[in-house]
Amino acid sequence: MTPSPRSLGSGGLVVSAQGLGCMGMSEFYGPGDEAESTATIRRALDLGVTFLDTADMYGPHRNEELVGRAIAGRRHEVVLATKFGIVRGADPADRSVRGDPAYVRRACEASLARLGVDHIDLYYQHRSDPAVPIEETVGAMAGLVAEGKVRFLGLSEASPDTLRRATAVHPISALQSEWSLWSRDIEAAVVPTARALGIGIVAYSPLGRGFLTGRLTSPDDFPEGDFRRFLPRFTGENFARNLALVASVRGLAEAKGCTPGQLALAWVLARGDDVVPIPGTKRRTYLEENAAAGDVVLDAGDLAALEAAFPADAAAGDRYPDMRPLGVATPPA
């Protein structure tokens, strides 16, 4: 059973209840396989998972090109989201953030060309630029809406104050932030602010970058080039402590007749009808498993058991290394 579509914001943006994060198809999670990635995207559309997420910095650039090729001939089926704002240099560690109006326009034009489309359904600022007032950035994004190049606007990892200031310039349909059983810091202030402003929530990494699936048992499981090797939650003693939390989820999943990953996704889906998880995968097998999470219904007892097994703030280690030297606030602002 495919869950009913969900609305993001109040402006008319309707998306599938679950989306597909495409980032790992091109970078960050080890070697890619374009043929399998393309087949995964097309299978997602067949399953009704039509909300696709990419960004210009993934690859960099190659992920947008891959997505564009995969949806050729099926553009009308897709709600297409991409992002701008993180600028990468020749060195993989060379990153900066830009939100100046001239850059916003250039980035959008480049994304349209790489994707091979005439408009982007949901255009996010990937991270806030501390050197540019959010009002200026969103003003430039609003100009793209007026020109028909973009349909709806979003922000990623934005603070409550940034959300309030942005919506004073133009309606924001979606906030994309990390949200899962082991990343719940947005619940205290960000989610209530977004809801008060009528902004939907797009939850990225709802499977804890794969950890909540229960398939990872050792840091040695990561292939060469997998960025999880450098994330605090996947290293040292943190890995073992987090593994114990996942063992509790596995037990609850077995009792429910589903996989740990499906239970984790069902938990995110149960956060509200304004929440859309976008688990990433580059394989059809995992896509199909994720899509089936829509069939897992959690009652009050299930949710209470999950809260007891995996309390908020239980995860060991920070989400990211300190990225302030790269111009990216930690935590994101």
Side-chain angles (χ1 to χ4, degrees):
M1 180 181 69
T2 301
S4 299
R6 296 188 169 189
S7 295
L8 295 175
S10 57
L13 176 59
V14 178
V15 303
S16 51
Q18 186 180 133
L20 173 62
C22 300
M23 179 183 80
M25 296 175 178
S26 300
E27 195 179 13
F28 301 112
Y29 287 91
D33 179 336
E34 180 161 344
E36 178 61 21
S37 293
T38 299
T40 298
I41 291 172
R42 292 174 179 166
R43 179 61 176 151
L45 303 185
D46 294 340
L47 292 171
V49 178
T50 56
F51 182 35
L52 304 183
D53 184 87
T54 181
D56 60 2
M57 66 88 70
Y58 301 158
H61 308 319
R62 290 182 291 114
N63 195 244
E64 287 185 325
E65 294 168 348
L66 185 156
V67 171
R69 288 190 292 270
I71 66 172
R74 302 184 69 173
R75 173 66 179 98
H76 62 287
E77 300 177 49
V78 175
V79 177
L80 184 60
T82 191
K83 315 176 199 70
F84 73 91
I86 298 180
V87 184
R88 298 178 60 181
D91 184 332
D94 180 10
R95 302 185 190 186
S96 58
V97 178
R98 286 188 65 176
D100 54 285
Y103 180 78
V104 173
R105 175 167 292 279
R106 288 203 305 275
C108 180
E109 296 288 358
S111 287
L112 288 169
R114 284 189 292 266
L115 290 162
V117 299
D118 62 5
H119 71 277
I120 294 162
D121 296 305
L122 176 58
Y123 199 40
Y124 294 101
Q125 182 184 25
H126 210 154
R127 293 293 187 272
S128 299
D129 183 347
V132 179
I134 189 64
E135 291 84 355
E136 293 184 19
T137 303
V138 174
M141 295 167 73
L144 298 171
V145 174
E147 295 173 25
K149 295 175 180 176
V150 170
R151 292 179 60 221
F152 299 96
L153 302 184
L155 300 176
S156 180
E157 295 276 14
S159 69
D161 180 62
T162 298
L163 292 174
R164 286 189 287 266
R165 290 168 55 195
T167 56
V169 177
H170 188 278
I172 301 298
S173 294
L175 169 69
Q176 184 175 137
S177 287
E178 185 170 356
W179 199 4
S180 70
L181 277 169
W182 80 342
S183 291
R184 300 179 59 179
D185 51 296
I186 66 170
E187 294 179 359
V190 175
V191 171
T193 301
R195 285 178 166 158
L197 296 168
I199 300 171
I201 312 293
V202 175
Y204 78 81
S205 295
L207 295 174
R209 306 189 189 283
F211 207 99
L212 298 174
T213 66
R215 286 189 284 267
L216 300 173
T217 59
S218 164
D220 296 332
D221 291 340
F222 303 132
E224 196 66 34
D226 193 312
F227 85 129
R228 289 173 293 185
R229 288 173 176 262
F230 308 103
L231 297 182
R233 291 186 179 177
F234 291 88
T235 57
E237 294 181 359
N238 290 340
F239 191 100
R241 290 170 61 189
N242 290 327
L243 206 57
L245 292 169
V246 174
S248 299
V249 175
R250 181 184 291 108
L252 294 172
E254 289 173 355
K256 195 70 180 172
C258 64
T259 68
Q262 288 170 337
L263 187 64
L265 278 175
W267 181 88
V268 177
L269 286 163
R271 297 302 87 195
D273 290 340
D274 58 347
V275 179
V276 177
I278 52 167
T281 184
K282 51 188 175 182
R283 297 180 179 89
R284 283 169 285 180
T285 301
Y286 296 154
L287 165 77
E288 291 167 357
E289 177 184 327
N290 293 342
D295 295 330
V296 179
V297 179
L298 303 181
D299 59 25
D302 297 324
L303 293 171
L306 272 169
E307 292 286 342
F310 210 129
D313 301 323
D318 293 332
R319 291 194 295 141
Y320 292 106
D322 186 352
M323 296 192 295
R324 284 172 294 185
L326 305 178
V328 180
T330 307

